[in-house]
Amino acid sequence: MTRMTKLFRQAACLSLLFVGGAYANTLDPSLAAAAQASNTQLPAQGMSANAQQAALSQGQVPMLPGQLSPDALLPPPEEGLPPPYGANLFAGGYETERFDGLNEDYLIAPGDKISIWVWGAVNQGEVVTVDNQGNIFIKNIGPVQVANVKASAVNDYVTSQIKRVYKSDVNIYVNLLTATPVSVFVTGSVLRPGQYAGMASDSPLYFLKRAGGIDAERGSYRTIEVRRNGQAIANIDLYDFLLEGRLPRINFKDNDVILVKKQQATVLVAGAVRNPFRFEFSGDAATGDELAKYARPLAKASHVGIAGDRASGPFSVYLPYKAFEDYELRDGDRLLFNDDLRAQVFDIQVQGSYLGPSYFAVKRDTRLHDLLAHIEVDPGLADFSNVYVQRQSVAEKQKEMIDQSLQRLERSVFTAPASSDGEARIRAEEARMVLEFTERARQIEPLGKVVVADNGKVANILLEQGDIVWIPSKTDLVHIGGEVIMPQAVVANPNAKVKDYIAWAGGYTERANYEQIMVIHPNGMIDTNYTGALQPGDQILVLPRVDAKTMQAVKDITQIIYQIAVAANVAVN
């Protein structure tokens, strides 16, 4: 390492150290309030985990004007890394919700103030301060050692010491008034290492939060030491707190050090889990079963894909979940939990005219005839010979084809050249109308009809997950819609033709396309230019005409209108 490189590293470490709270705590209150007011915005999307952590904590420990944030000083993390498990620990309001009173387990320390009242044979009252040797001096009694006595026990303890002198006819009341703040150093892999003030009974999380939280890219959530006089007095694993609520109870003293050690081996988890985070091991390796305790895979997870590096080189395996439980994971492994078992049972819905239940659970190799055999119908009401199926995969394909046609239409109109200013204005107006048309057309949802019946015969097709089997109701009506003056339903007449029904609906509108008349039969079949006799349950749909005088892309628009009519049984103007 060159001397210049060493100097750069030392400068970076020093600049990070001075972002800490020892300097920030000396900020003028008015400047602190202004800095806090300017740093209370929510972290922006796309920020790194460290940047979000710093932004959330700046409202508690404001920075001086012009002072760099930790995220500007620290090296950037690898792109695409998820946040570590437990990163949201330091987004809470530790200080705003903090209780400054004394808890009963607080241990008395030098600097604390204690009030003592004696009445009866002797009357005296005084407030005494615990000296550096841990004693209080009581008038006519002398020194009493109270250091490390619990706040809840101080009354009984001091009373017993006083009654050694005043043995009877004396009442005594002792109370801890104030506790002296302690100064604790927070260092290691935190965002703002430094010296922070707090109460001796404060949680380690409070001091970590004051330091901006653990460095999400480099710090360990599992190996945190509390050191006193160079010796470790407590070890903290925040995973124990996250899962079981266990956190060591520590009474801090001046100059204690909270040391966040470097991040240990980690794995990335994604896919069918409740906790898709970056997880840290407590050692160099862990089994899949140990990881699952933290990642909490969903019940549907059946396989796990694992990619990583070993001494032999990069590797990738795909394991059933049972085999994954005993698999040894190493630092840098990437895991994908997957639902890779095909459903063996399909949910099928029945609509229309039927009796009994509307939902059926069938085996994946069930065919339509097998299902129909279990559906009870009223022969006088159900048109069983015109059954059809609505299928999601067909609807998606129809939607895709319509979208592709709309995109081609937009490209042809928006990229058409213009040879003059007049033609350019015409093109602009045409483009505006095409855009309005495509916006309406994209809102149409295809039905995904599958025609399975013809001339009373029903095809025995395989069923798919989510299929809706429609059994039409018998009816005496023929429906007329689209570009007619009075869309309505008319009683079927065996002697009437399509033009007769259109006449009964008031005739064509001005926008009607006389050459695009569709007849939709109850089984979902569609005929154009139909000349036969209409049957009860048929629907006549008159499509709109595109004016060739104002639209150059007449053919494309007409085709799209026809596609939508077939897919959704509606006419789009």
Side-chain angles (χ1 to χ4, degrees):
M1 185 184 294
T2 65
R3 182 173 180 273
M4 184 64 70
T5 304
K6 290 181 179 179
L7 288 174
F8 273 126
R9 288 195 173 183
Q10 291 172 0
C13 290
L14 286 173
S15 55
L16 177 61
L17 184 63
F18 287 115
V19 177
Y23 187 46
N25 286 341
T26 63
L27 191 63
D28 180 81
S30 60
L31 291 177
Q36 182 172 349
S38 63
N39 284 287
T40 54
Q41 296 180 358
L42 292 174
Q45 293 294 328
M47 295 171 67
S48 71
N50 281 339
Q52 293 187 26
Q53 220 166 277
L56 286 166
S57 59
Q58 280 173 14
Q60 307 297 341
V61 184
M63 296 187 299
L64 286 172
Q67 190 175 358
L68 292 175
S69 68
D71 200 60
L73 295 169
L74 293 169
E78 182 181 343
E79 288 293 333
L81 284 181
Y85 179 60
N88 57 337
L89 265 176
F90 304 105
Y94 288 85
E95 294 183 336
T96 56
E97 302 296 331
R98 181 167 172 260
F99 174 64
D100 289 326
L102 300 172
N103 67 62
E104 60 182 14
D105 293 325
Y106 172 75
L107 300 180
I108 294 175
D112 293 345
K113 295 185 181 299
I114 298 174
S115 67
I116 303 172
W117 296 91
V118 181
W119 70 97
V122 176
N123 290 300
Q124 66 182 61
E126 55 187 319
V127 175
V128 295
T129 302
V130 182
D131 62 25
N132 290 333
Q133 299 179 30
N135 295 323
I136 56 173
F137 192 87
I138 305 174
K139 183 179 178 181
N140 299 326
I141 302 296
V144 175
Q145 180 75 22
V146 294
N148 295 322
V149 174
K150 286 186 177 182
S152 58
V154 67
N155 183 53
D156 293 339
Y157 175 74
V158 175
T159 296
S160 65
Q161 298 300 312
I162 294 175
K163 285 197 171 183
R164 289 183 175 182
V165 177
Y166 302 117
K167 298 185 180 294
S168 61
D169 298 329
V170 171
N171 298 299
I172 304 165
Y173 179 74
V174 181
N175 183 43
L176 177 62
L177 292 179
T178 61
T180 303
V182 295
S183 182
V184 174
F185 292 93
V186 185
T187 188
S189 300
V190 292
L191 294 186
R192 290 195 297 272
Q195 185 179 12
Y196 296 91
M199 305 297 292
S201 57
D202 277 333
S203 160
L205 292 175
Y206 168 79
F207 290 103
L208 289 171
K209 166 69 183 234
R210 293 291 304 274
I214 294 172
D215 182 343
E217 316 302 338
R218 303 160 191 86
S220 173
Y221 283 71
R222 309 208 62 176
T223 51
I224 302 170
E225 279 188 358
V226 179
R227 304 180 68 86
R228 183 172 295 162
N229 299 324
Q231 300 295 322
I233 62 170
N235 292 288
I236 302 171
D237 184 345
L238 291 180
Y239 280 23
D240 290 341
F241 175 68
L242 288 165
L243 282 181
E244 302 171 8
R246 290 192 285 111
L247 194 65
R249 183 181 292 276
I250 303 167
N251 245 69
F252 286 97
K253 292 186 177 181
D254 272 331
N255 298 322
D256 280 354
V257 176
I258 298 176
L259 173 63
V260 178
K261 296 195 171 181
K262 65 180 181 180
Q263 194 175 76
Q264 301 186 92
T266 60
V267 295
L268 308 182
V269 175
V273 293
R274 294 176 178 84
N275 295 322
F277 297 112
R278 181 165 20 124
F279 292 92
E280 182 182 357
F281 299 154
S282 56
D284 294 331
T287 64
D289 189 49
E290 293 175 37
L291 177 70
K293 181 174 65 173
Y294 303 112
R296 299 185 63 207
L298 299 175
K300 66 178 183 179
S302 61
H303 290 74
V304 184
I306 307 171
D309 293 283
R310 297 290 187 269
S312 57
F315 80 99
S316 178
V317 296
Y318 194 65
L319 302 174
Y321 187 81
K322 193 66 180 175
F324 164 75
E325 291 179 342
D326 298 322
Y327 191 85
E328 184 179 77
L329 303 172
R330 291 280 179 175
D331 185 26
D333 286 352
R334 300 175 299 281
L335 280 64
L336 176 66
F337 288 77
N338 194 17
D339 172 17
D340 205 14
L341 290 179
R342 295 186 179 181
Q344 301 300 307
V345 176
F346 291 159
D347 297 326
I348 307 297
Q349 186 177 359
V350 179
Q351 293 284 2
S353 179
Y354 64 94
L355 304 174
S358 60
Y359 284 88
F360 291 83
V362 302
K363 294 181 180 178
R364 64 191 308 266
D365 58 351
T366 301
R367 292 184 174 271
L368 180 58
H369 285 186
D370 300 327
L371 175 66
L372 293 177
H374 291 83
I375 299 175
E376 185 180 358
V377 298
D378 185 340
L381 299 176
D383 188 2
F384 208 77
S385 62
N386 284 317
V387 171
Y388 65 89
V389 175
Q390 278 184 234
R391 180 164 289 176
Q392 181 63 32
S393 60
V394 174
E396 290 173 355
K397 187 63 177 178
Q398 290 174 332
K399 182 70 171 175
E400 179 184 347
M401 295 172 65
I402 292 172
D403 287 343
Q404 289 174 354
S405 298
L406 292 171
Q407 290 170 6
R408 286 195 300 270
L409 172 62
E410 290 174 338
R411 283 197 301 270
S412 65
V413 173
F414 296 154
T415 60
S419 57
S420 65
D421 292 343
E423 185 178 353
R425 287 192 293 270
I426 294 173
R427 295 290 188 190
E429 180 62 20
E430 180 180 348
R432 183 187 64 79
M433 291 189 291
V434 167
L435 186 59
E436 292 177 357
F437 169 76
T438 56
E439 286 179 354
R440 293 198 307 273
R442 283 194 172 94
Q443 295 174 5
I444 301 298
E445 293 296 331
L447 299 176
K449 280 187 178 182
V450 180
V451 179
V452 296
D454 187 25
N455 295 324
K457 295 181 179 180
V458 179
N460 192 21
I461 65 170
L462 274 171
L463 297 174
E464 292 185 5
Q465 168 63 30
D467 278 355
I468 302 176
V469 178
W470 278 88
I471 303 175
S473 300
K474 287 184 177 179
T475 179
D476 299 319
L477 305 176
V478 172
H479 295 266
I480 308 102
E483 293 298 327
V484 293
I485 293 177
M486 294 180 296
Q488 60 179 310
V490 178
V491 175
N493 187 327
N495 299 318
K497 303 295 183 180
V498 171
K499 62 180 181 180
D500 299 319
Y501 287 99
I502 293 175
W504 293 335
Y508 298 108
T509 65
E510 293 180 356
R511 295 191 302 266
N513 186 346
Y514 311 115
E515 297 178 357
Q516 290 288 335
I517 301 174
M518 300 172 56
V519 176
I520 304 168
H521 300 296
N523 63 353
M525 189 80 72
I526 296 176
D527 283 327
T528 57
N529 299 321
Y530 185 71
T531 58
L534 272 69
Q535 301 298 317
D538 284 347
Q539 178 185 351
I540 299 173
L541 187 64
V542 180
L543 300 184
R545 182 184 72 254
V546 180
D547 191 350
K549 295 179 181 179
T550 57
M551 300 291 285
Q552 297 294 320
V554 174
K555 183 178 178 181
D556 291 338
I557 295 178
T558 303
Q559 179 187 358
I560 294 171
I561 291 173
Y562 184 79
Q563 286 180 322
I564 292 174
V566 171
N569 295 353
V570 294
V572 178
N573 294 325

